[in-house]
Amino acid sequence: MITITRLNRTLTGLVATGLIGLLAACSAAPPAATDPPGPGAGQSGAEGNSAGVLGPDQVGPLLQDVTQSAGKDLKPERLAAGLLPPTNKWFSGLVFGDTAQPVFPLPLSFGVDAKGFAFGLPTVTTTAKTIMGGYAPIISVGTGSGTTWTVTGYDELSVTLEAAAGGKPVGSVRIAEGSPFVSFTAAGSVALTSNLPFAASGAAWTVQGGAASYGLVTAGQVSGTSVNLSPGQTATWFAVPDGGNLETMAKLAGDPLKATSASYQVGDTATTTLAYTTGNGGDTAFAAMPHQARSLVDAGEPIGSYASSYGTLTLYAGKKLTWTEPLQAARAGLDLSRLSESERSELADAVKADVAALKPYPADTYFGGKALYRDAQLWEIAKQVGADAEAAKLKERVTTQLLQWTEPKGCETRDAFCFFYDTRNHGMVGRTPSFGSDEFNDHHFHYGYFLYAAGVLAADDSGLAEKLAPVMNLLAADIATSPGNEHFPARRNFDSYASHSWASGTAPFADGNNQESASEAVTAYAGLTLWARASGNRDLEVEARWMQALEAASARAYWTDFDTSDPVYAGFGHQVLPLNFGGKRDYATWFSAEPAAALAILLIPVSPSSDQLGGDAVRIAENVKEGIGSKGFEQQYGDYILMYSALAGEDARQTALKAARSFDRSTIDDGNSYSYLLAWLFSLKP
């Protein structure tokens, strides 16, 4: 997020259809810092353990002492009793609101209505500003007039919906991310209808739907547009991949998907394994996204591919999808050990000026958290440059504010600077929300700043960590509980298949859920790592480092440094893709049409842990050129772009440093400071 008055990026109630997004690319990495080695393993979903990360035994007692209140009615109209509201999921649009929205379990798109369900491979079209892969109801399956739908179960990658007609169950449908299969299991004898006639072909049935062939496998009776099932029988539909064949897919479809789970290991790299479990324990098919395909482990030979708005998806047969990603460092502050005396003096003067100009803290959870993060970074700088008086003032200021925010019963006596547990929606909510955070929008962005600031201030202060822990651990649980329990859903925002987070709480969009500021998402999990270290929670640290690694990889792959050789980018006219939905990707933002905003939203807050911004110097220079246009750096958000530009090499750093020294400080974002801008540029010295 960026400081301005604007529409909520995950705007509730608006179906986004053509907004223009933002994206950036990167070059050299921020300065190295010691990142404690952290080999470890974790698991969730069906393979989870009873304790888990911030499990019920840990958070239950904390919740007893915090203010509790029923939050907003988010209208989970199609959710079975006993299930926690699945906010911030790829399938949230199926659950919330008066009308179910389409969802995108790549490679398919899927939707339900009062007549039945429909699915199909999206037709991917690319324009100068948008890559569209929207809802494609190519195969429509009728389940009876007046069908109602209820989500009766979900796990790591899959969701199950029950269809009822006339008040009686008809059957259930299961879909999953990465799976090309849609399975329906009959509750009783049922006659399904299809909009297209399927013809027998060996052990399967097939039909041409648009540009692709679709198959059907079932023990029931198929005749043209009719599929008759006995109680308990299953019909599984699928899309035949490019380069694949009906026979191979039909064999895999014969053993329908039963459950999914995720596990991870953190050692020299972050290794992720997504398990697809079938009813009979056989192989199934799953599609690897471009970021996964670069480093697959024991995947075997591909059996086909699908086009998608995220690039070419490669299909494999098996039980597990495993890949690795490089770890990312989580740093409390910048390394200023190489500063000259003159640079140290210059920076100390900047700190004194910034501290003297500090304003009261904002009361809402976004700007309030962002300001705490900013001041924690100022404190880190002040300590290193000998600005002792300012360092003492900053420590007292940030500590006092953190202690206020983390008073467990604070919301019983005030309506700001406090959190309460939302008993209706099962999560932590700030009493003064912003950007729809009371509707569970952007929690990882907001709470990541709090966690980062707390991790910095409490890194060497166990007493402070102990005081902050009751509420800070609940904020961590809100975005990182694993596996889910009666208090919090599993890793609320984070999607292990897509390898990034979803920002909208209820996803009221025809294009699926979305995320804009991938850089703030990376910062969130870096902050989670720092808090885990400060509070001594080893399991949380391992999980946080895993999420940070995946979020950073996806930020580069789909927001800032995408591979333009993939056919999906042919005709796209921009350097970055700021706004990614399940079914489309836009060169647009929720708040501004300015190119600077489109780039800056992928940079902020340019934290000490923003290594994902480094990489290709040429790409960085191109991104900067597009971002600043003819206006140069002296514009809103120019401070972030100026910092980013220095990652293109030493000449670029020197140019940025010269520009910084004459920079109009009044234009610096309120989540940043002139001291940090200057310190960032100094820290990149070779």
Side-chain angles (χ1 to χ4, degrees):
M1 291 176 166
I2 294 181
T3 304
I4 55 172
T5 302
R6 62 174 186 181
L7 292 174
N8 174 14
R9 290 201 327 256
T10 50
L11 195 60
T12 301
L14 174 68
V15 175
T17 57
L19 296 176
I20 313 214
L22 48 94
L23 203 141
C26 326
S27 143
T34 301
D35 199 31
Q43 51 190 359
S44 63
E47 297 177 351
N49 55 59
S50 59
V53 176
L54 296 171
D57 292 345
Q58 295 171 278
V59 302
L62 300 179
L63 288 172
Q64 293 178 11
D65 295 328
V66 75
T67 303
Q68 299 193 20
S69 179
K72 273 191 173 183
D73 181 3
L74 302 183
K75 295 187 176 181
E77 303 292 341
R78 291 165 298 282
L79 185 67
L83 292 181
L84 267 65
T87 63
N88 306 93
K89 303 301 182 185
W90 64 271
F91 62 88
S92 295
L94 291 173
V95 171
F96 297 97
D98 296 332
T99 302
Q101 297 292 342
V103 294
F104 298 85
L106 298 179
L108 299 174
S109 62
F110 176 88
V112 298
D113 59 24
K115 296 179 181 179
F117 63 91
F119 64 92
L121 293 174
T123 299
V124 180
T125 57
T126 301
T127 67
K129 292 186 175 181
T130 301
I131 302 174
M132 177 63 72
Y135 180 42
I138 295 170
I139 305 297
S140 297
V141 179
T143 52
S145 178
T147 295
T148 59
W149 292 94
T150 304
V151 170
T152 56
Y154 57 87
D155 58 20
E156 187 72 21
L157 311 173
S158 73
V159 59
T160 302
L161 301 98
E162 182 180 275
K168 296 181 179 181
V170 175
S172 60
V173 176
R174 180 173 285 120
I175 56 174
E177 290 180 289
S179 175
F181 301 127
V182 176
S183 294
F184 178 93
T185 300
S189 296
V190 61
L192 305 176
T193 59
S194 171
N195 64 318
L196 297 177
F198 280 79
S201 178
W205 284 263
T206 185
V207 69
Q208 187 72 22
S213 294
Y214 291 83
L216 166 63
V217 171
T218 182
Q221 301 297 313
V222 179
S223 177
T225 59
S226 298
V227 181
N228 295 292
L229 303 177
S230 299
Q233 284 187 326
T234 296
T236 299
W237 292 261
F238 55 87
V240 178
D242 294 336
N245 61 73
L246 179 70
E247 293 74 22
T248 298
M249 296 297 292
K251 182 178 180 181
L252 296 168
D255 193 0
L257 191 66
K258 179 182 179 181
T260 67
S261 62
S263 59
Y264 52 88
Q265 291 185 327
V266 172
D268 294 332
T269 61
T271 300
T272 306
T273 297
L274 305 180
Y276 293 81
T277 303
T278 61
N280 295 323
D283 285 350
T284 186
F286 42 76
M289 294 184 69
H291 76 282
Q292 297 159 340
R294 297 178 307 205
S295 57
L296 291 176
V297 178
D298 298 329
E301 292 298 317
I303 59 172
S305 66
Y306 300 99
S308 86
S309 59
Y310 284 83
T312 302
L313 308 179
T314 308
L315 192 68
Y316 295 89
K319 299 178 178 66
K320 295 181 178 181
L321 173 62
T322 300
W323 76 100
T324 63
E325 297 291 358
L327 291 175
Q328 304 291 307
R331 304 180 182 90
L334 299 170
D335 178 7
L336 304 178
S337 61
R338 298 187 302 279
L339 267 63
S340 67
E341 285 304 313
S342 63
E343 290 169 337
R344 194 176 305 277
S345 176
E346 182 181 3
L347 194 48
D349 289 343
V351 169
K352 293 173 184 177
D354 279 335
V355 171
L358 288 174
K359 298 177 181 179
Y361 281 113
D364 68 277
T365 55
Y366 178 66
F367 293 112
K370 194 175 175 184
L372 281 166
Y373 159 84
R374 176 202 64 211
D375 288 357
Q377 291 307 307
L378 269 175
W379 178 62
E380 281 287 326
I381 297 168
K383 288 190 299 177
Q384 295 187 67
V385 299
D388 296 339
E390 285 71 26
K393 182 176 181 179
L394 285 163
K395 183 175 183 180
E396 180 181 5
R397 172 183 164 92
V398 179
T399 300
T400 300
Q401 189 70 1
L402 282 170
L403 288 171
Q404 182 181 32
W405 273 105
T406 54
E407 289 179 25
K409 297 291 187 181
C411 284
E412 293 188 0
T413 58
R414 59 180 182 270
D415 59 6
F417 303 105
C418 64
F419 294 96
F420 69 93
Y421 179 72
D422 181 343
T423 55
R424 188 198 302 267
N425 301 302
H426 297 265
M428 297 296 291
V429 175
R431 185 66 82 187
T432 303
S434 53
F435 304 114
S437 58
D438 54 343
E439 298 175 9
F440 286 76
N441 293 342
D442 301 353
H443 276 202
H444 58 320
F445 298 152
H446 296 211
Y447 301 169
Y449 284 121
F450 282 91
L451 292 162
Y452 211 117
V456 171
L457 268 292
D460 298 313
D461 189 340
S462 59
L464 178 60
E466 186 176 354
K467 292 177 182 178
L468 300 177
V471 170
M472 205 59 65
N473 279 338
L474 290 175
L475 297 187
D478 186 89
I479 63 173
T481 284
S482 178
N485 55 60
E486 65 267 34
H487 305 303
F488 297 98
R491 288 181 266 105
R492 183 183 305 281
N493 301 83
F494 190 74
D495 183 330
S496 57
Y497 175 75
S499 298
H500 63 74
S501 302
W502 297 112
S504 176
T506 59
F509 310 109
D511 294 311
N513 213 322
N514 77 93
Q515 178 165 265
E516 187 177 48
S517 184
S519 54
E520 284 183 302
V522 173
T523 299
Y525 301 124
L528 188 65
T529 299
L530 294 173
W531 169 248
R533 288 179 188 158
S535 59
N537 190 331
R538 178 62 180 154
D539 291 339
L540 178 61
E541 180 183 353
V542 172
E543 182 191 59
R545 295 190 71 198
W546 168 63
M547 292 193 289
Q548 184 187 354
L550 267 62
E551 191 83 49
S554 68
R556 289 179 57 83
Y558 307 116
W559 276 262
T560 64
D561 199 15
F562 45 86
D563 180 5
T564 56
S565 68
D566 192 296
V568 74
Y569 298 107
F572 185 70
H574 294 278
Q575 290 294 124
V576 296
L577 265 162
L579 188 53
N580 286 298
F581 287 79
K584 74 169 181 178
R585 304 165 69 194
D586 273 337
Y587 183 77
T589 78
W590 286 110
F591 58 93
S592 172
E594 289 294 321
L599 176 55
I601 195 61
L602 304 181
L603 308 178
I604 60 172
V606 194
S607 85
S609 307
S610 293
D611 286 8
Q612 84 281 359
L613 299 181
D616 180 357
V618 173
R619 184 68 177 268
I620 289 173
E622 291 173 344
N623 292 349
V624 169
K625 182 179 179 181
E626 179 180 65
I628 62 175
S630 61
K631 296 181 180 180
F633 294 110
E634 295 285 346
Q635 59 179 302
Q636 192 173 25
Y637 319 131
D639 50 327
Y640 292 120
I641 301 176
L642 182 63
M643 294 160 69
Y644 172 63
S645 72
L647 293 172
E650 178 59 14
D651 287 347
R653 187 187 77 87
Q654 290 290 346
T655 299
L657 190 57
K658 182 178 179 180
R661 286 173 168 144
S662 60
F663 201 79
D664 180 359
R665 301 184 191 185
S666 68
T667 66
I668 292 176
D669 184 66
D670 63 0
N672 197 9
S673 66
Y674 178 70
S675 298
Y676 187 83
L677 187 159
L678 197 60
W680 168 271
L681 297 175
F682 285 155
S683 73
L684 297 178
K685 285 176 64 175

